[in-house]
């Protein structure tokens, strides 16, 4: 490691000969040396600068052969091989495999390489452009291929997929492409086209056409890959339109005919039960909700117990005989109490406590007035080496601390990785969980903390934590990247703990997380929305820097503050808007105006957004329990669980204004371009139904 830093210093002082000798020696080391790739890049550059082009070319060739094609410097290395060796194979690889890279774009602007592309090369290039999220470029490559005799159908499949699943707002463009694929494609492509056409009509909310296409799919492909989805939509589409009798019949078809492996079974059981609740068939609804109790988790079983209680309550309201009314209310109270005894720090238990108070019962949430479970001044980071019993492990950790202290955080993490499991064993055996937390938090290993607590002690994360369990909760709910979260929260009026809760749900604290909808980083921001917010913040959006916690949190906190303002401080609706898009959440509020809070949340049509906002609320409750004062808890819970829903959301929230709320001070930085955003898109993973 010392020689590596000496070589860097010598290059900085223009002592190339000494640096090259040192780098050649370092290059002989194997891949266990953390900076083995950087050493070869530095060596190649130094040799080029010294005029030794053949030697540099050889270094780059070996580096390209030894590294993964997904390495961030791979396009640059191949561009140097082309510049020094003029190898056509490398040029084709660069332009086809890395078409969205800066190196490829630079070559394209300086040469007429596109004329060399054959039709198969263009198709391959389009596939890699899609993987690089360069959808417009991929569209430009695919359009000329639509008329190709052999590749035209494959080009249509890719282009329709871009329009329907990637760009999202161009579903109408995908339909004619899928229709041609359905008539001319291979059997597998025809089945896919039939499925996608039905999905397209559902996304366009043309439900009669969509139902007809699902029926056609079931008739043509009774054992098809998407048969479960076809039966599911027979019930879900009428459920979304409040055609509850048709929905119950459709879900009964699913239960009778869908395959044994049912990914959507929990959704079907829930929607069927809620359709019966809407129809005011309480006895049938209670039986249907009871089937969800087999899924023993806070959302499904907790939801079932809560809505069993609500069904009994509503049933009691219609009863005229006082004894029968009292009996039904007693059953509602029993269901709520059962929920609170099984699950505590979660969304539905909090609602159940509210219902108990409405029925004249005392509150069970005594933790609201208790001090924070984690002492406010407890250390978050540090190197508590004295707590480690194993001397050899302690010695190795000292070298990790040395790397960290000189700013080599990545190298420290790499050296810490093989020691992590031994450290977990050593410290957990001696009940030194706080020390274990501090070691990992210092190295920003928050995802690993969450994973360890979840894997080893998940059953302890249900009730109120006491004693040792408090530290387990702390591992599962860390204050990740606290300096950035606190600063961005104050700037944009967002409670710091809410940022942690969203981070936990979105990425499980992983900086490099990328979703299937291309959402990136800790807070899972999609590039399209990030570019809009960048303009409003007066910043330049860069995919490379966007994964940095400071940058990712800046955009997400800005948007969260504006969403909270749009939905009048009703945090659960802001969370749903973060996931599904504010325009979709506003539409749900318009369509269901007048419902109480609990029913309004259940009427969020997108499965992912509905589950998302409830899970984030659960995470917020747990963060409040661990870290918040009683005064802050009371203040924030009024926003998280409003007594009455305000349906008068703001149409267009002006991002220009400083977003100041009850939980942050200071003003947002004024953007150079003064514009308002109309909230058309989701910041997170998007719509699901």
């Amino acid at each position: 490691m010392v020689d590596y830093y000496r070589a860097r210093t010598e290059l900085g002082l223009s002592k190339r000969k000494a640096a090259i000798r040192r780098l050649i020696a370092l290059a002989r080391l194997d891949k266990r040396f953390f900076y083995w790739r950087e050493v070869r890049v530095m060596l190649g550059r130094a040799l080029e600068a010294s005029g030794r082009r053949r030697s540099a070319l050889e270094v780059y060739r070996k580096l390209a052969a030894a590294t993964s094609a997904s390495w961030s410097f791979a396009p640059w290395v191949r561009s140097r091989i082309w510049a020094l060796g003029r190898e056509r194979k490398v040029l084709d690889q660069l332009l086809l495999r890395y078409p969205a890279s800066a190196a490829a774009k630079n070559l394209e602007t300086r040469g007429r390489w596109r004329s060399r592309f054959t039709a198969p090369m263009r198709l391959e290039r389009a596939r890699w452009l899609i993987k690089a999220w360069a959808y417009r470029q991929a569209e430009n490559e695919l359009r000329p291929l639509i008329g190709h005799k052999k590749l035209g159908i494959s080009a249509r499949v890719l282009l329709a997929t871009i329009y329907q699943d990637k760009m999202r707002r161009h579903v109408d463009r995908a339909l004619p492409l899928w229709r041609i694929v359905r008539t001319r494609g291979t059997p597998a492509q025809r089945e896919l086209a039939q499925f996608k056409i039905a999905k397209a009509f559902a996304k366009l909310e043309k439900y009669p056409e969509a139902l007809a296409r699902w029926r056609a799919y079931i008739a043509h492909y009774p054992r098809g890959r998407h048969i479960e989805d076809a039966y599911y939509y027979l019930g879900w589409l009428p459920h979304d339109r409040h055609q509850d009798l048709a929905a119950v019949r459709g879900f009964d078809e699913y239960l009778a005919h869908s395959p044994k492996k049912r990914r959507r079974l929990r959704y079907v059981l829930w929607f069927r039960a809620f359709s019966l609740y809407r129809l005011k068939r309480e006895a049938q609804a209670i039986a249907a909700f009871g089937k969800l109790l087999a899924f023993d988790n806070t959302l499904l079983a907790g939801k079932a117990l809560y809505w069993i209680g609500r069904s009994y309550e509503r049933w009691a309201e219609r009863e005229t005989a006082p004894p029968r009314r009292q009996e039904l209310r007693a059953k509602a109270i029993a269901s709520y109490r059962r929920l609170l005894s099984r699950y505590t720090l979660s969304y539905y238990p909090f609602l159940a406590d509210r219902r108990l108070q409405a029925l004249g019962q005392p509150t069970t949430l005594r933790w609201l007035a208790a001090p924070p479970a984690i002492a406010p001044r407890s250390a978050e980071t540090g190197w508590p080496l004295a707590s480690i019993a194993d001397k050899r492990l302690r010695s190795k950790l000292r070298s990790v601390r040395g790397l960290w202290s000189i700013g080599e955080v990545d190298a420290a993490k790499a050296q810490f990785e093989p020691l992590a499991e031994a450290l977990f064993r050593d410290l957990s055996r001696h009940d030194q969980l706080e020390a274990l937390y501090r070691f990992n938090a210092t190295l920003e290993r928050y995802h690993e903390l969450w994973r360890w607590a979840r894997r080893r002690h998940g059953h302890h994360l249900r009730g109120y934590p006491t004693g040792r369990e408090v530290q387990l909760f702390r591992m599962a709910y860390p204050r990740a990247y606290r300096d950035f979260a606190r600063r961005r929260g104050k700037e944009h009026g967002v409670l710091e703990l809410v940022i942690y809760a969203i981070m936990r749900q979105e990425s499980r604290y992983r900086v490099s997380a990328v979703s299937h909808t291309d959402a990136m980083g800790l807070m899972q921001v999609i590039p399209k929305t990030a570019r809009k917010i960048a303009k409003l913040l007066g910043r330049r959006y860069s995919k490379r820097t966007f994964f940095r916690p400071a940058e990712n949190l800046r955009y997400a906190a800005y948007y969260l503050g504006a969403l909270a303002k749009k939905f009048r401080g009703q945090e659960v609706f802001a969370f749903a808007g973060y996931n599904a898009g504010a325009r979709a959440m506003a539409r749900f509020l318009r369509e269901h105006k007048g419902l109480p809070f609990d029913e309004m949340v259940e009427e969020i049509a997108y499965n992912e957004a509905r589950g998302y906002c409830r899970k984030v609320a659960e995470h917020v409750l747990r963060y409040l329990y661990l870290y918040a004062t009683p005064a802050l808890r009371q203040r924030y819970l009024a926003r998280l669980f409003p007594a009455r829903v305000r349906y008068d959301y703001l149409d267009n929230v002006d991002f220009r204004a400083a977003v100041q709320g009850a939980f942050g001070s200071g003003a947002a930085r004024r953007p150079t371009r003064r514009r308002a955003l109309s909230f058309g898109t989701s910041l997170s993973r998007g719509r699901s139904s």
Side-chain angles (χ1 to χ4, degrees):
M1 191 67 75
V2 174
D3 284 341
Y4 170 74
Y5 287 111
R6 283 178 177 168
R8 284 177 57 177
T9 304
E10 287 165 349
L11 286 173
L13 297 172
S14 299
K15 296 181 178 180
R16 288 199 191 94
K17 289 185 178 180
I20 288 170
R21 284 196 299 271
R22 205 176 297 278
L23 289 168
I24 288 172
L26 287 170
R28 296 193 183 102
L29 299 176
D30 59 19
K31 294 182 180 181
R32 285 178 294 180
F33 180 60
F34 181 72
Y35 291 115
W36 67 275
R37 288 174 296 197
E38 287 80 353
V39 163
R40 285 157 178 79
V41 169
M42 289 163 57
L43 178 58
R45 282 175 165 170
L47 290 168
E48 274 195 82
S50 301
R52 298 163 64 178
R53 294 168 61 89
R54 288 188 179 180
S55 299
L57 178 60
E58 190 62 29
V59 169
Y60 290 138
R61 281 174 178 162
K62 289 181 179 179
L63 183 58
T67 53
S68 166
S70 60
W71 180 41
S72 58
F73 266 76
W76 180 87
V77 171
R78 282 157 179 79
S79 70
R80 297 316 304 154
I81 294 173
W82 164 250
L84 297 173
R86 296 290 167 179
E87 299 178 15
R88 286 299 179 92
K89 182 180 178 182
V90 174
L91 175 65
D92 290 343
Q93 186 182 22
L94 179 62
L95 295 177
L96 296 179
R97 173 65 176 80
Y98 308 100
S101 67
K105 289 177 182 177
N106 189 33
L107 280 173
E108 284 188 64
T109 56
R110 291 190 298 172
R112 297 181 179 179
W113 310 114
R114 294 177 63 85
S115 59
R116 296 184 59 250
F117 293 163
T118 62
M121 291 170 73
R122 282 182 179 276
L123 192 68
E124 181 70 13
R125 179 178 164 85
R127 288 195 175 100
W128 285 110
L129 284 166
I130 292 170
K131 289 184 179 181
W133 313 334
Y135 302 129
R136 293 292 182 194
Q137 289 176 257
E139 181 186 11
N140 294 336
E141 294 290 346
L142 291 168
R143 278 203 164 280
L145 296 178
I146 286 177
H148 194 274
K149 186 176 180 180
K150 291 184 178 180
L151 302 178
I153 295 298
S154 297
R156 283 185 175 90
V157 169
L158 288 176
L159 192 56
T161 302
I162 290 172
Y163 289 146
Q164 186 164 334
D165 299 334
K166 302 301 182 181
M167 293 182 176
R168 297 183 187 175
R169 290 195 182 183
H170 301 293
V171 179
D172 54 330
R173 297 185 190 177
L175 272 172
L177 296 169
W178 287 126
R179 287 187 178 117
I180 293 172
V181 174
R182 187 180 58 183
T183 57
R184 301 182 193 172
T186 64
Q189 288 172 335
R190 289 175 185 177
E191 181 190 345
L192 176 65
Q194 182 70 40
F195 168 73
K196 288 290 189 178
I197 287 169
K199 283 282 285 183
F201 278 119
K203 284 190 174 184
L204 293 170
E205 299 189 2
K206 296 180 179 180
Y207 287 176
E209 294 92 336
L211 281 170
R213 297 312 187 281
W214 288 123
R215 291 282 181 194
Y217 181 91
I218 291 168
H220 284 91
Y221 306 102
R223 296 181 180 275
R225 289 184 60 190
H226 308 287
I227 192 67
E228 184 190 3
D229 289 329
Y231 278 114
Y232 166 76
Y233 278 102
L234 294 183
W236 185 86
L237 293 178
H239 173 86
D240 190 48
R241 284 294 175 91
H242 283 245
Q243 299 168 357
D244 294 307
L245 283 173
V248 172
R249 287 195 294 269
F251 291 131
D252 286 342
E253 278 194 70
Y254 172 96
L255 294 171
H257 299 293
S258 66
K260 291 182 179 179
K261 291 183 179 180
R262 296 170 171 174
R263 295 177 295 106
R264 294 184 179 266
L265 177 61
R266 56 195 178 119
Y267 292 125
V268 168
L269 293 176
W270 161 249
F271 287 133
R272 185 179 181 277
F274 202 69
S275 292
L276 291 166
Y277 177 85
R278 284 174 177 170
L279 291 167
K280 298 184 179 180
R281 298 180 180 181
E282 282 83 8
Q284 291 176 271
I286 289 166
F289 285 130
K291 293 180 180 179
L292 285 166
L293 295 175
F295 299 90
D296 188 18
N297 65 47
T298 57
L299 269 191
L300 292 173
K303 173 167 59 178
L305 288 168
Y306 178 77
W307 285 102
I308 288 172
R310 288 288 276 137
S311 299
Y312 277 124
E313 269 197 85
R314 196 168 68 175
W315 193 354
E317 289 171 4
R318 296 209 315 273
E319 284 291 335
T320 56
R324 179 61 173 159
R325 192 184 308 132
Q326 283 298 113
E327 179 189 351
L328 292 171
R329 283 181 178 172
K331 288 183 177 180
I333 290 169
S335 185
Y336 293 142
R337 290 200 181 283
R338 185 182 172 193
L339 169 57
L340 284 159
S341 66
R342 288 177 67 174
Y343 311 106
T344 48
L345 291 169
S346 188
Y347 173 81
Y348 285 105
F350 194 91
L351 290 179
D353 187 79
R354 285 271 183 91
R355 297 310 308 163
L356 285 173
Q357 291 180 60
L359 292 168
Q361 303 295 309
T363 181
T364 60
L365 302 180
R366 297 185 181 87
W367 65 270
L368 293 176
I374 302 294
R377 295 186 179 182
S378 60
E380 287 280 325
T381 58
W383 298 91
L385 295 170
S387 59
I388 298 173
D390 189 327
K391 292 182 179 180
R392 295 179 67 181
L393 179 60
R394 196 188 313 157
S395 175
K396 291 177 180 178
L397 285 169
R398 283 198 183 98
S399 64
V400 174
R401 183 180 63 178
L403 288 170
W404 176 83
S405 63
I406 61 172
E408 291 295 334
V409 178
D410 290 337
K413 287 180 181 179
Q415 194 162 327
F416 181 83
E417 193 66 39
L419 309 176
E421 193 59 36
L423 183 69
F424 276 117
R425 282 197 305 269
D426 185 277
L427 292 178
S428 59
R429 188 187 305 126
H430 296 88
D431 214 23
Q432 297 282 347
L433 294 181
E434 183 176 358
L436 184 59
Y437 177 90
R438 290 172 62 190
F439 273 116
N440 284 274
T442 301
L443 291 170
E444 298 177 344
R445 288 169 47 87
Y446 301 108
H447 174 71
E448 286 73 13
L449 275 173
W450 166 82
R451 190 173 59 182
W452 186 82
R454 188 79 175 171
R455 187 175 69 240
R456 301 290 180 84
H457 304 281
H459 60 286
H460 288 298
L461 303 177
R462 289 189 175 183
Y464 291 122
T466 56
R468 181 175 184 268
E469 291 172 358
V470 171
Q471 292 300 329
L472 290 174
F473 257 76
R474 189 187 188 188
M475 290 180 177
Y477 295 89
R479 288 185 280 194
Y481 306 97
R482 189 180 181 190
D483 290 342
F484 300 130
R486 182 187 294 170
R487 193 180 313 147
R488 301 305 174 218
K490 285 183 177 180
E491 284 177 4
H492 305 300
V494 180
L495 182 65
E496 174 190 339
L497 301 179
V498 169
I499 294 176
Y500 303 138
I502 297 248
M503 197 188 302
R504 188 187 197 278
Q505 184 63 22
E506 289 286 2
S507 65
R508 301 294 189 267
Y509 315 105
R510 286 178 297 171
V511 172
S512 59
V514 178
S515 79
H516 67 283
T517 57
D518 307 333
M520 301 185 299
L522 286 170
M523 304 292 278
Q524 291 290 276
V525 187
I526 60 174
K528 183 177 180 180
T529 306
R531 292 187 187 97
K532 288 183 179 180
I533 295 177
K535 290 179 181 178
L536 299 167
L537 284 169
R539 300 182 66 83
R540 183 185 176 190
Y541 167 78
S542 168
K543 178 182 170 183
R544 177 168 291 184
T545 61
F546 198 69
F547 287 97
R548 295 174 185 170
E551 194 73 358
N552 202 267
L553 290 174
R554 184 194 307 276
Y555 287 64
Y558 192 72
Y559 191 61
L560 275 170
L563 280 171
K565 184 178 177 183
K566 177 181 178 68
F567 294 113
R568 304 287 191 180
Q570 298 172 115
E571 297 286 302
V572 170
F573 301 144
F575 302 156
Y578 187 92
N579 179 266
R583 180 180 289 142
M585 187 61 234
R587 177 165 59 86
F588 301 148
L589 287 170
R590 286 196 308 273
E591 291 174 352
H592 303 288
K593 190 172 183 178
L595 290 179
F597 174 77
D598 55 356
E599 291 186 24
M600 180 60 243
V601 172
E602 304 301 345
E603 293 292 359
I604 295 173
Y606 299 161
N607 293 340
E608 185 177 337
R610 188 176 59 257
Y612 177 90
C613 67
R614 293 176 306 193
K615 283 302 290 183
V616 173
E618 176 183 298
H619 300 331
V620 171
L621 285 170
R622 296 182 175 196
Y623 271 110
L624 289 170
Y625 177 84
L626 289 173
Y627 303 108
T629 61
L632 179 57
R633 289 170 185 160
Q634 294 291 349
R635 208 155 28 111
Y636 187 74
L637 287 173
R639 294 165 60 103
L640 194 61
F641 297 96
R644 294 183 62 184
V645 177
R646 292 191 63 180
Y647 288 90
D648 57 331
Y649 59 86
L650 299 175
D651 284 329
N652 280 338
V653 174
D654 192 349
F655 275 82
R656 296 170 297 174
V659 184
Q660 286 190 336
F663 311 105
S665 60
R669 176 181 170 185
R670 287 190 177 275
T672 54
R673 296 187 181 183
R674 300 172 64 81
R675 297 172 57 194
L677 189 65
S678 62
F679 289 92
T681 55
S682 158
L683 191 68
S684 181
R685 289 172 295 204
R687 61 182 290 170
S688 171
S689 57

